[in-house]
Coordinates of all heavy atoms in Angstrom, one line a residue:
M4 N 60.2 31.0 153.6 CA 59.6 31.9 152.6 C 59.1 31.1 151.5 O 59.8 30.3 150.9 CB 60.6 32.9 152.1 CG 60.1 33.9 151.1 SD 61.4 34.9 150.3 CE 62.1 35.8 151.7
S5 N 57.8 31.2 151.2 CA 57.2 30.5 150.1 C 57.3 31.3 148.8 O 57.0 32.5 148.8 CB 55.8 30.1 150.3 OG 55.7 29.2 151.4
L6 N 57.8 30.7 147.7 CA 58.0 31.5 146.5 C 57.2 30.9 145.4 O 56.9 29.7 145.4 CB 59.5 31.4 146.1 CG 60.5 32.0 147.1 CD1 61.9 31.7 146.6 CD2 60.3 33.5 147.3
R7 N 56.9 31.7 144.4 CA 56.4 31.2 143.1 C 57.3 31.8 142.0 O 57.9 32.8 142.2 CB 54.9 31.5 142.9 CG 54.6 33.0 142.8 CD 53.1 33.3 142.7 NE 52.8 34.7 142.8 CZ 52.9 35.6 141.9 NH1 53.3 35.2 140.7 NH2 52.6 36.8 142.1
A8 N 57.3 31.1 140.9 CA 58.1 31.5 139.8 C 57.2 32.0 138.6 O 56.1 31.5 138.4 CB 58.9 30.3 139.2
E9 N 57.7 33.1 138.0 CA 57.0 33.6 136.8 C 58.1 33.7 135.7 O 59.2 34.0 135.9 CB 56.5 35.0 137.1 CG 55.3 35.1 138.0 CD 54.8 36.5 138.2 OE1 55.4 37.4 137.7 OE2 53.8 36.6 138.9
I10 N 57.6 33.4 134.5 CA 58.5 33.4 133.3 C 58.1 34.6 132.4 O 56.9 34.6 132.0 CB 58.6 32.1 132.6 CG1 59.1 31.0 133.5 CG2 59.4 32.2 131.3 CD1 59.1 29.6 132.9
A11 N 59.0 35.4 132.1 CA 58.7 36.5 131.1 C 58.8 36.0 129.7 O 59.9 35.7 129.2 CB 59.6 37.7 131.3
A12 N 57.7 35.7 129.0 CA 57.7 35.1 127.7 C 58.5 36.0 126.7 O 59.1 35.4 125.8 CB 56.3 34.8 127.2
D13 N 58.5 37.3 126.9 CA 59.1 38.1 126.0 C 60.7 38.1 126.2 O 61.4 38.6 125.3 CB 58.6 39.6 126.1 CG 58.8 40.1 127.5 OD1 58.7 39.4 128.5 OD2 59.0 41.4 127.7
L14 N 61.1 37.5 127.3 CA 62.6 37.4 127.5 C 63.1 36.0 127.2 O 64.2 35.8 126.8 CB 62.9 37.8 128.9 CG 62.7 39.2 129.4 CD1 63.0 39.4 130.8 CD2 63.5 40.1 128.5
C15 N 62.2 35.0 127.4 CA 62.7 33.6 127.3 C 63.2 33.3 125.9 O 62.6 33.6 124.9 CB 61.5 32.6 127.6 SG 61.9 30.9 127.4
A16 N 64.4 32.7 125.9 CA 65.1 32.3 124.7 C 65.0 30.8 124.3 O 65.6 30.3 123.4 CB 66.5 32.8 124.7
G17 N 64.2 30.1 125.2 CA 64.0 28.7 124.9 C 65.3 27.8 125.1 O 65.4 26.7 124.4
T18 N 66.2 28.2 125.9 CA 67.4 27.4 126.1 C 67.3 26.1 126.8 O 68.2 25.3 126.8 CB 68.5 28.3 126.8 OG1 68.0 28.6 128.1 CG2 68.8 29.6 126.0
S19 N 66.2 26.0 127.6 CA 65.9 24.8 128.4 C 66.7 24.6 129.6 O 66.7 23.6 130.3 CB 66.0 23.5 127.6 OG 65.0 23.5 126.6
N20 N 67.6 25.6 130.0 CA 68.4 25.5 131.2 C 67.5 25.2 132.4 O 67.8 24.4 133.3 CB 69.2 26.7 131.4 CG 70.1 27.1 130.3 OD1 69.8 26.9 129.1 ND2 71.3 27.6 130.6
C21 N 66.4 26.0 132.5 CA 65.6 25.8 133.7 C 64.9 24.5 133.7 O 64.8 23.9 134.8 CB 64.5 26.9 133.7 SG 63.5 26.9 132.2
V22 N 64.5 23.9 132.6 CA 63.9 22.6 132.5 C 64.9 21.5 132.9 O 64.6 20.6 133.6 CB 63.4 22.3 131.1 CG1 62.8 20.9 131.0 CG2 62.4 23.4 130.7
E23 N 66.2 21.7 132.5 CA 67.2 20.7 132.9 C 67.5 20.7 134.4 O 67.7 19.7 135.0 CB 68.5 21.0 132.1 CG 68.3 20.6 130.6 CD 69.4 21.1 129.7 OE1 70.5 21.5 130.3 OE2 69.3 21.2 128.5
E24 N 67.4 21.9 134.9 CA 67.7 22.1 136.4 C 66.5 21.6 137.2 O 66.8 21.0 138.2 CB 68.0 23.6 136.6 CG 68.5 23.8 138.1 CD 69.9 23.2 138.4 OE1 70.7 23.0 137.4 OE2 70.2 22.9 139.5
L25 N 65.3 22.0 136.9 CA 64.2 21.7 137.7 C 63.0 21.2 136.8 O 62.0 21.9 136.5 CB 63.7 22.9 138.4 CG 64.6 23.4 139.6 CD1 63.9 24.7 140.2 CD2 64.8 22.4 140.6
P26 N 63.2 20.0 136.3 CA 62.1 19.5 135.3 C 60.8 19.3 136.0 O 59.8 19.2 135.3 CB 62.7 18.1 134.8 CG 63.7 17.7 135.9 CD 64.3 19.0 136.5
E27 N 60.8 19.2 137.3 CA 59.5 19.0 138.0 C 58.7 20.3 138.1 O 57.5 20.3 138.4 CB 59.7 18.5 139.4 CG 60.5 19.4 140.4 CD 62.0 19.1 140.3 OE1 62.6 19.2 139.2 OE2 62.6 19.0 141.4
V28 N 59.4 21.4 137.8 CA 58.7 22.7 137.9 C 58.5 23.4 136.5 O 57.5 24.0 136.3 CB 59.6 23.7 138.8 CG1 59.0 25.1 138.8 CG2 59.7 23.1 140.2
F29 N 59.5 23.3 135.6 CA 59.5 24.0 134.3 C 59.4 23.0 133.2 O 59.9 21.8 133.3 CB 60.7 24.8 134.1 CG 60.9 25.9 135.2 CD1 61.9 25.7 136.2 CD2 60.1 27.0 135.3 CE1 62.1 26.6 137.2 CE2 60.3 27.9 136.3 CZ 61.3 27.8 137.2
E30 N 58.8 23.4 132.1 CA 58.7 22.6 130.9 C 58.7 23.6 129.7 O 58.4 24.8 129.8 CB 57.4 21.8 130.9 CG 56.2 22.6 130.8 CD 54.9 21.7 130.8 OE1 55.0 20.4 130.9 OE2 53.8 22.2 130.8
I31 N 59.0 23.0 128.5 CA 59.0 23.8 127.3 C 57.6 23.6 126.7 O 57.2 22.4 126.5 CB 60.1 23.4 126.3 CG1 61.5 23.7 127.0 CG2 60.0 24.1 125.0 CD1 61.8 25.1 127.2
G32 N 56.9 24.6 126.4 CA 55.6 24.5 125.7 C 55.7 24.4 124.2 O 56.8 24.4 123.7
P33 N 54.6 24.2 123.6 CA 54.5 24.0 122.1 C 55.1 25.2 121.4 O 55.4 25.1 120.2 CB 53.0 23.8 121.8 CG 52.3 24.2 123.1 CD 53.2 24.1 124.2
D34 N 55.1 26.4 122.0 CA 55.7 27.6 121.4 C 57.2 27.6 121.5 O 57.9 28.6 121.0 CB 55.1 28.8 122.0 CG 55.3 28.9 123.5 OD1 55.9 28.0 124.1 OD2 54.8 29.9 124.1
G35 N 57.8 26.6 122.1 CA 59.3 26.6 122.3 C 59.8 27.4 123.4 O 61.0 27.5 123.6
L36 N 58.9 27.9 124.2 CA 59.3 28.7 125.4 C 59.0 28.0 126.7 O 58.1 27.1 126.7 CB 58.6 30.1 125.3 CG 58.8 30.9 124.1 CD1 58.0 32.2 124.1 CD2 60.3 31.2 123.8
A37 N 59.7 28.4 127.7 CA 59.5 27.7 129.0 C 58.2 28.2 129.6 O 57.7 29.3 129.4 CB 60.6 28.1 129.9
R38 N 57.6 27.3 130.4 CA 56.4 27.6 131.2 C 56.5 26.9 132.5 O 57.2 25.9 132.7 CB 55.1 27.3 130.5 CG 55.0 25.9 130.1 CD 53.7 25.7 129.2 NE 53.5 24.3 128.9 CZ 52.6 23.8 128.0 NH1 51.9 24.7 127.3 NH2 52.4 22.5 127.9
V39 N 55.7 27.4 133.5 CA 55.7 26.9 134.8 C 54.7 25.8 134.9 O 53.5 26.0 134.6 CB 55.5 28.0 135.9 CG1 55.5 27.4 137.3 CG2 56.5 29.1 135.8
K40 N 55.1 24.6 135.3 CA 54.2 23.4 135.5 C 53.5 23.5 136.8 O 52.3 23.2 137.0 CB 54.9 22.1 135.4 CG 55.5 21.8 134.0 CD 56.5 20.7 134.1 CE 56.0 19.4 134.6 NZ 57.1 18.4 134.5
I41 N 54.3 23.8 137.9 CA 53.7 23.9 139.2 C 54.0 25.2 139.8 O 55.2 25.6 140.0 CB 54.4 22.8 140.1 CG1 54.3 21.4 139.5 CG2 53.9 22.8 141.5 CD1 55.1 20.3 140.2
K42 N 53.0 26.0 140.1 CA 53.2 27.4 140.6 C 53.8 27.5 142.0 O 54.6 28.3 142.2 CB 51.8 28.1 140.6 CG 51.3 28.3 139.1 CD 50.7 29.7 139.0 CE 50.1 29.9 137.6 NZ 51.1 29.9 136.6
N43 N 53.4 26.6 142.9 CA 53.9 26.7 144.3 C 54.5 25.4 144.7 O 54.0 24.8 145.6 CB 52.8 27.1 145.2 CG 52.1 28.4 144.8 OD1 52.7 29.3 144.2 ND2 50.8 28.5 145.1
P44 N 55.6 25.0 144.1 CA 56.1 23.7 144.5 C 56.7 23.8 145.9 O 57.2 24.8 146.4 CB 57.3 23.5 143.5 CG 57.7 24.9 143.1 CD 56.4 25.7 143.1
T45 N 56.6 22.7 146.6 CA 57.2 22.6 147.9 C 58.5 21.7 147.8 O 58.6 20.9 146.9 CB 56.2 21.9 148.9 OG1 55.8 20.7 148.5 CG2 55.0 22.8 149.2
D46 N 59.4 21.9 148.7 CA 60.6 21.1 148.8 C 61.5 21.3 147.5 O 62.2 20.4 147.1 CB 60.3 19.7 149.0 CG 59.6 19.4 150.3 OD1 59.9 20.2 151.3 OD2 58.8 18.5 150.4
V47 N 61.3 22.4 146.8 CA 62.1 22.7 145.7 C 62.8 24.1 145.8 O 62.1 25.0 146.2 CB 61.3 22.7 144.4 CG1 62.0 23.2 143.2 CG2 60.7 21.3 144.1
D48 N 64.0 24.2 145.5 CA 64.7 25.5 145.6 C 64.6 26.2 144.2 O 65.3 25.9 143.3 CB 66.2 25.3 145.9 CG 66.9 26.6 146.0 OD1 66.3 27.7 146.0 OD2 68.2 26.5 146.2
L49 N 63.5 27.0 144.1 CA 63.2 27.7 142.9 C 64.4 28.5 142.4 O 64.6 28.8 141.2 CB 62.0 28.5 143.0 CG 60.6 27.8 143.0 CD1 59.5 28.8 143.2 CD2 60.5 27.0 141.7
R50 N 65.2 29.0 143.4 CA 66.3 29.9 143.0 C 67.3 29.2 142.1 O 67.9 29.8 141.2 CB 67.0 30.4 144.2 CG 68.1 31.4 143.9 CD 68.7 32.0 145.2 NE 67.8 33.0 145.8 CZ 67.9 34.3 145.6 NH1 68.7 34.7 144.7 NH2 67.1 35.1 146.2
R51 N 67.4 27.9 142.3 CA 68.3 27.1 141.4 C 67.9 27.2 140.0 O 68.7 27.3 139.0 CB 68.3 25.6 141.8 CG 69.3 25.3 142.9 CD 69.2 23.8 143.3 NE 68.9 22.9 142.2 CZ 68.1 21.8 142.4 NH1 67.5 21.5 143.5 NH2 67.9 21.0 141.3
G52 N 66.6 27.1 139.7 CA 66.1 27.1 138.4 C 66.2 28.5 137.8 O 66.5 28.7 136.6
A53 N 65.9 29.5 138.6 CA 66.0 30.9 138.1 C 67.4 31.3 137.8 O 67.6 32.0 136.8 CB 65.4 31.8 139.2
E54 N 68.3 30.9 138.6 CA 69.7 31.4 138.4 C 70.4 30.8 137.2 O 71.4 31.4 136.7 CB 70.5 31.1 139.7 CG 70.1 32.0 140.8 CD 70.9 31.7 142.1 OE1 71.6 30.7 142.2 OE2 70.9 32.6 143.0
V55 N 69.9 29.7 136.6 CA 70.5 29.1 135.4 C 70.0 29.8 134.2 O 70.5 29.5 133.1 CB 70.4 27.6 135.4 CG1 71.1 26.9 136.5 CG2 68.9 27.2 135.3
C56 N 69.0 30.6 134.3 CA 68.4 31.3 133.1 C 69.4 32.3 132.6 O 69.7 33.3 133.3 CB 67.1 31.9 133.4 SG 66.4 32.7 131.9
P57 N 69.9 32.2 131.4 CA 70.9 33.2 130.9 C 70.4 34.6 130.6 O 71.2 35.5 130.4 CB 71.4 32.5 129.6 CG 70.3 31.7 129.1 CD 69.6 31.2 130.4
V58 N 69.1 34.7 130.5 CA 68.5 36.0 130.2 C 67.7 36.6 131.4 O 66.9 37.6 131.2 CB 67.7 36.0 128.9 CG1 68.6 35.7 127.7 CG2 66.6 34.9 129.0
Q59 N 67.7 35.9 132.5 CA 67.0 36.3 133.7 C 65.5 36.5 133.4 O 64.9 37.5 133.8 CB 67.6 37.6 134.3 CG 69.0 37.4 134.9 CD 69.4 38.5 135.7 OE1 69.2 39.7 135.5 NE2 70.2 38.2 136.8
A60 N 64.9 35.5 132.7 CA 63.5 35.6 132.3 C 62.6 35.1 133.5 O 61.4 35.2 133.5 CB 63.3 34.7 131.1
I61 N 63.3 34.4 134.5 CA 62.5 33.8 135.6 C 62.6 34.7 136.8 O 63.6 35.0 137.3 CB 63.0 32.4 135.9 CG1 63.0 31.5 134.7 CG2 62.2 31.8 137.1 CD1 63.6 30.1 134.9
S62 N 61.4 35.2 137.2 CA 61.3 36.0 138.4 C 60.8 35.1 139.6 O 60.0 34.2 139.3 CB 60.3 37.1 138.2 OG 60.8 38.0 137.3
L63 N 61.3 35.4 140.8 CA 60.8 34.7 142.0 C 60.0 35.7 142.8 O 60.5 36.8 143.1 CB 61.9 34.1 142.7 CG 62.7 33.0 142.0 CD1 63.8 32.5 142.8 CD2 61.9 31.9 141.4
I64 N 58.8 35.3 143.2 CA 57.9 36.2 143.9 C 57.7 35.6 145.3 O 57.3 34.4 145.4 CB 56.6 36.4 143.2 CG1 56.8 36.7 141.7 CG2 55.7 37.4 143.9 CD1 57.4 38.0 141.5
D65 N 57.8 36.4 146.3 CA 57.4 36.0 147.7 C 55.9 36.0 147.8 O 55.2 37.0 147.6 CB 58.0 37.0 148.7 CG 57.7 36.6 150.2 OD1 56.7 35.8 150.4 OD2 58.4 37.1 151.0
I66 N 55.3 34.8 148.0 CA 53.9 34.6 147.9 C 53.2 35.4 149.0 O 52.1 36.0 148.8 CB 53.5 33.1 148.0 CG1 54.0 32.4 146.8 CG2 52.0 33.0 148.3 CD1 53.8 30.9 146.9
S67 N 53.8 35.5 150.1 CA 53.1 36.2 151.3 C 53.1 37.7 151.1 O 52.1 38.4 151.5 CB 53.8 35.8 152.6 OG 55.1 36.2 152.6
T68 N 54.1 38.3 150.4 CA 54.2 39.8 150.3 C 53.9 40.2 148.9 O 53.6 41.4 148.7 CB 55.5 40.3 150.8 OG1 56.5 39.8 149.9 CG2 55.8 39.9 152.2
G69 N 54.1 39.4 147.9 CA 54.0 39.8 146.5 C 55.2 40.4 146.0 O 55.3 40.9 144.8
A70 N 56.3 40.5 146.8 CA 57.5 41.2 146.4 C 58.3 40.3 145.5 O 58.5 39.1 145.8 CB 58.3 41.6 147.6
R71 N 58.9 40.9 144.5 CA 59.9 40.1 143.7 C 61.2 40.1 144.4 O 61.8 41.1 144.8 CB 60.0 40.8 142.3 CG 60.9 39.9 141.4 CD 60.8 40.4 140.0 NE 61.5 41.6 139.8 CZ 61.8 42.1 138.6 NH1 61.4 41.5 137.5 NH2 62.5 43.2 138.4
I72 N 61.7 38.9 144.6 CA 63.0 38.7 145.3 C 64.2 38.3 144.3 O 65.3 38.3 144.7 CB 62.9 37.7 146.4 CG1 62.7 36.3 145.9 CG2 61.9 38.2 147.5 CD1 63.2 35.3 146.9
Y73 N 63.8 38.0 143.1 CA 64.8 37.6 142.1 C 64.3 37.9 140.7 O 63.1 37.5 140.5 CB 65.3 36.2 142.2 CG 66.4 35.8 141.3 CD1 67.8 36.0 141.6 CD2 66.1 35.4 140.0 CE1 68.8 35.7 140.7 CE2 67.2 35.1 139.1 CZ 68.5 35.3 139.5 OH 69.5 35.0 138.6
P74 N 65.0 38.4 139.7 CA 66.4 38.9 139.9 C 66.3 40.3 140.6 O 65.3 40.9 140.6 CB 66.9 39.0 138.5 CG 65.6 39.3 137.6 CD 64.5 38.5 138.3
Ligands
SF4_19 S1 66.4 29.1 131.1 FE1 65.4 31.1 130.7 S2 65.7 31.3 128.5 FE2 66.1 29.2 128.9 S3 64.1 28.2 128.6 FE3 64.2 28.7 130.9 S4 63.2 30.7 131.0 FE4 63.7 30.4 128.9

C-alpha cells in the first residue's frame, strides 16, 4: 500500500517529534510548524512518523483509494 502524509496545520504544536523520527520526510517550516518534505517517499514507514505525533496532526492517506488510514 502506498501512502502519503498530510499535516493539519491547525493541529500541529511544533513539537518536532515527527522530524526526529523521520527527518527525511518531515521538517519544521519558518512558521514553527511541521511540513512534509517528500509527499510519496518510498522505503519509509510513514506510520512511524505519524504515531509519534502527540496531537495526531499527521494523517496517512492511501494513494490508490484516497482513503485515510490513520488516525
Ligand atoms: S509531531 Fe505532530 S505536533 Fe509535533 S511537529 Fe510533528 S506534526 Fe507537529
Side-chain angles (χ1 to χ4, degrees):
M4 179 188 300
S5 293
L6 301 175
R7 65 181 168 82
E9 290 182 356
I10 298 175
D13 57 330
L14 293 178
C15 177
T18 62
S19 295
N20 301 39
C21 57
V22 178
E23 291 169 15
E24 186 68 26
L25 291 179
E27 64 271 54
V28 177
F29 301 106
E30 65 183 358
I31 297 296
D34 57 1
L36 303 177
R38 61 188 184 188
V39 179
K40 291 162 63 176
I41 305 173
K42 292 219 182 298
N43 305 328
T45 56
D46 301 327
V47 171
D48 182 4
L49 283 178
R50 185 176 283 270
R51 270 178 39 218
E54 287 180 345
V55 296
C56 179
V58 294
Q59 294 193 322
I61 301 175
S62 295
L63 301 180
I64 311 296
D65 181 338
I66 292 172
S67 61
T68 66
R71 185 166 74 167
I72 64 154
Y73 184 89

